[in-house]
Each structure stands twice: as structure tokens, then as C-alpha cells.
């Protein structure tokens, strides 16, 4: 590991270290494999080959009429990040490990037909077609900051409704303490499902009160349009006070359970990614500080970093959920 000492006294990671270790190692192995397999074909040319298949904006959803949100914390005065950045700089490991891989590769994702199954500890489990899910509650405009565990952030206008609207329909039993989210894992259309970076499907989880919190969003669109595939079409979670990896993309199953879910990142590196993963500038990632962040679109790597706020700035709305907990231990 190669760390630089900064004048502020903490170790700032080099860009290679901002990538989770498992991903970084897998990417190196993949590059070696590619270099060996594509002997004679320079890597850049190989990469440019399928950049042709790059992504086209998906356009308006017929049902994408939004209403202003009344949820406290659903707006911000901060500048919205450029659409090109939000759709061109992604983490969606099913489609590759590089930030530009999802935009290039996710066109293979089939988002229709799509159903979301709700099961587990609930009186009214069910299966919803995406068309019915869209109509279940009015879609609201919500502008959220998204803070990635890697140290960058964006400001994104979403269209969706509180996840609680859907969860309540299923009538969870009193024994249901957690909600688990399973996302699509289809080897035929997702080139990295089957790779050893993570266990598939990508699973995430929330405690019941977190899942029911009005800010927890089930999102169907962004920037007034359908979610692009690389951002988690056709339906994803957005949990603005947690690191971005909690916001599962392309959800196919929601399960009520009495046990804390084993999540994909927690399984891959438990000492680095805890179950809660609330944005917390006071708890460093084992390999880098979480005190500051780089806002994507603000002048590249040399732009002044912003201070990261506790709960990503949503403390007034969510801090009480964690009263009495030691968030250094339950990170
Ligand atoms: N969901 C799935 N299914 N697969 C993923 O790899 N990556 C997570 C999260 N949801 C991921 C996922 C991570 S690490 C982040 S930071 C956010 O998605 C990124 O969301 P964005 O690309 O829309 O900004």
C-alpha cells in the first residue's frame, strides 16, 4: 500500500486505493487476462471497440408525472451534477469494474418485462409488475446528495416515492425486523455476474425503521426521465444518508426478515463495510479518511475537497434512528 502524507496530517489515499481492494485486485487480474488474451490488439483499441455501443438517453416515461415532494430533506440548494457525469461515472459491478463500464455495457439489461417480488415475514406478500409499481403512489421529485464510500459525491434529481408506500401494502408482521433487497443477477445479460468480485446476486439490507423512513426512496427515474440502465433501471433504492452501495440497483425481490441481512459488501470485506454504513466523517475507512469528499464535476482530482457531513447532511431527519448506538462500532 502506498499512502501519501498530507499537510492536514491524515493519510490521503492514492486513486488506486479509493477503489475497494477486492475490485482493484479483480480489475488487475482482468487486465492481465485481457492483455494475454488480446495479444497483438492494444488494450485501448480493445476498449474503444465496444464504446460504439455507448448509451442513448432513455427518454420520458409515460407515467413519469412527478409532484413536488413534501418529505423534509427532499430538496437542496446545491447545484445538480451534470447528467453526463451521473450516467457516465457509475458503480454497477454486474457490468464491469471501471467507472465507465456500466454506461458502455448496461445496454444488454432487459428491463421489460420486470417484476418485483415481496415476500418473507408479511401478511400480504405479492409480486408486482413494474407498471403496477409505478402507479402505486405519486412519483415525487427528490434531489438527494449521494456520497460514495470511495470518497466522491453527486447531487441527483430522482423521481420516485417513499419505499414505505410499498412496504405497508405487504403488511409486514411484527416479527419482521429487517428488509433485504435482492437485485437481478442474470449471467446472460450481465457480464460480471459469476466473477469473484462479489457474491451474486448483489444483496443489501436495511433495518425496518430505516426502510420505513420517508427519505428512503424507491426510484424509477432521474432528471425527469426513465432511469438509465447503468443507474439501476427499472427500479432502485436511494438511501441518501448512507454510503452509495446501500442503494441497490435493479431490484427484483424485497424480503422481510427477523435477521440482519448478510449484504454483498459485508460478505466481501466485513472489516471495511458494515451493515449500517451511515455516512460518517468521524469513522475512517480502514484504508482512507472519510472526512472529505470530491464532488464529481467540480474540477477533477485537483478541486478542493468538501467536508463530509454526518449522515451526509440528513442528520436532522435520521439521527434519532441511531440514538444510543455506538456508531464507531456499528459502522
Ligand atoms: N447495485 C447493484 N446491483 N450493483 C452494484 O454494483 N453499486 C452500488 C450502488 N448499487 C451497485 C449497486 C454503489 S457502490 C454505488 S456508489 C451506487 O450504486 C452508485 O449509484 P450510481 O451509479 O447511480 O451513482
Amino acid at each position: 500500500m502506498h499512502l501519501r502524507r498530507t499537510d492536514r496530517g491524515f493519510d490521503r489515499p492514492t486513486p488506486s486505493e479509493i477503489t475497494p481492494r477486492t475490485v482493484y485486485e479483480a480489475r488487475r487480474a482482468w487486465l492481465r487476462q485481457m492483455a494475454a488474451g488480446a495479444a497483438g490488439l492494444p488494450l485501448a483499441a480493445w476498449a474503444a471497440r465496444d464504446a460504439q455501443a455507448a448509451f442513448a438517453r432513455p427518454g420520458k416515461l409515460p407515467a413519469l408525472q412527478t409532484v413536488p415532494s413534501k418529505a423534509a430533506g427532499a430538496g437542496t440548494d446545491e447545484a445538480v451534477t451534470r447528467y453526463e457525469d451521473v450516467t457516465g461515472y457509475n458503480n454497477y459491478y454486474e457490468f464491469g469494474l471501471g467507472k465507465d463500464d456500466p454506461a458502455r455495457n448496461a445496454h444488454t439489461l432487459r428491463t421489460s418485462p420486470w417484476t418485483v417480488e415481496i415476500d418473507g415475514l408479511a401478511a400480504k406478500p405479492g409480486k408486482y409488475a413494474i407498471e403496477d409499481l409505478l402507479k402505486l403512489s405519486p412519483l415525487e421529485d427528490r434531489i438527494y446528495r449521494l456520497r460514495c464510500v470511495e470518497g466522491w459525491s453527486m447531487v441527483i434529481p430522482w423521481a420516485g416515492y417513499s419505499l414505505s408506500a410499498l412496504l405497508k401494502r405487504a403488511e409486514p408482521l411484527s416479527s419482521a425486523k429487517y428488509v433485504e433487497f435482492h437485485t437481478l443477477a442474470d449471467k446472460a445479460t450481465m457480464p460480471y455476474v459469476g466473477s469473484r468480485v462479489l457474491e451474486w446476486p448483489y444483496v443489501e439490507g436495511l433495518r425496518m425503521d430505516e426502510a420505513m423512513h420517508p427519505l428512503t426512496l424507491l426510484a424509477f427515474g432521474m432528471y425527469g426521465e426513465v432511469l438509465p440502465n447503468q443507474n439501476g433501471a427499472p427500479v432502485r433504492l436511494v438511501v441518501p444518508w448512507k454510503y452509495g452501495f446501500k442503494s441497490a440497483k435493479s431490484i427484483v425481490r424485497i424480503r422481510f426478515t427477523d435477521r440482519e441481512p448478510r449484504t454483498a459488501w459485508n460478505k466481501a470485506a466485513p472489516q471495511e463495510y458494515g451493515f449500517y454504513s451511515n455516512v460518517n466523517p468521524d469513522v475512517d475507512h480502514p484504508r482512507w479518511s472519510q472526512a472529505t469528499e470530491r464532488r464529481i464535476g467540480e474540477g477533477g482530482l485537483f478541486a478542493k475537497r468538501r467536508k463530509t457531513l454526518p449522515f451526509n447532511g440528513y442528520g436532522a431527519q435520521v439521527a434519532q434512528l441511531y440514538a444510543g448506538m455506538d456508531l464507531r462500532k456499528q459502522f
Side-chain angles (χ1 to χ4, degrees), residues 33-107:
Q33 212 179 325
M34 292 295 290
L41 183 60
L43 264 184
W46 177 272
R49 210 186 43 126
D50 49 11
Q52 319 294 337
F55 125 95
R57 280 177 84 134
K60 301 264 180 224
L61 244 194
L64 205 70
Q65 287 296 338
T66 51
V67 296
S69 179
K70 294 199 184 82
T76 170
D77 295 337
E78 289 180 85
V80 164
T81 305
R82 284 185 340 141
Y83 183 87
E84 290 70 22
D85 288 329
V86 174
T87 57
Y89 190 90
N90 299 100
N91 280 332
Y92 197 163
Y93 294 107
E94 289 86 335
F95 291 105
L97 310 180
K99 300 292 178 222
D100 53 355
D101 286 342
R104 194 166 37 228
N105 298 335
H107 59 91

Side-chain angles (χ1 to χ4, degrees), residues 244-313:
F245 66 88
K246 299 295 285 182
S247 295
K249 294 176 169 180
S250 309
I251 294 170
V252 291
R253 184 178 174 205
I254 299 176
R255 192 171 81 92
F256 295 102
T257 161
D258 52 359
R259 301 225 181 108
E260 188 179 283
R262 298 284 331 271
T263 66
W265 281 107
N266 185 249
K267 280 192 217 168
Q271 69 288 359
E272 300 190 6
Y273 309 108
F275 174 76
Y276 284 95
S277 294
N278 291 319
V279 174
N280 192 341
D282 298 330
V283 176
D284 288 347
H285 183 280
R287 292 181 287 132
W288 59 81
S289 162
Q290 292 290 27
T292 64
E293 67 204 54
R294 177 169 71 94
R295 181 64 51 84
I296 297 294
E298 278 184 352
L301 275 174
F302 302 104
K304 197 167 176 299
R305 293 174 70 90
R306 291 166 176 255
K307 273 197 164 149
T308 287
L309 300 172
F311 301 107
N312 201 22

Side-chain angles (χ1 to χ4, degrees), residues 22 56-57 68 94 105 145 179 181 188 208 233 235 244 248 278 283 328:
T22 47
R57 280 177 84 134
E94 289 86 335
N105 298 335
R145 281 179 295 280
V179 187
F181 303 89
M208 191 60 114
V235 57
N278 291 319
V283 176
R328 289 184 171 273

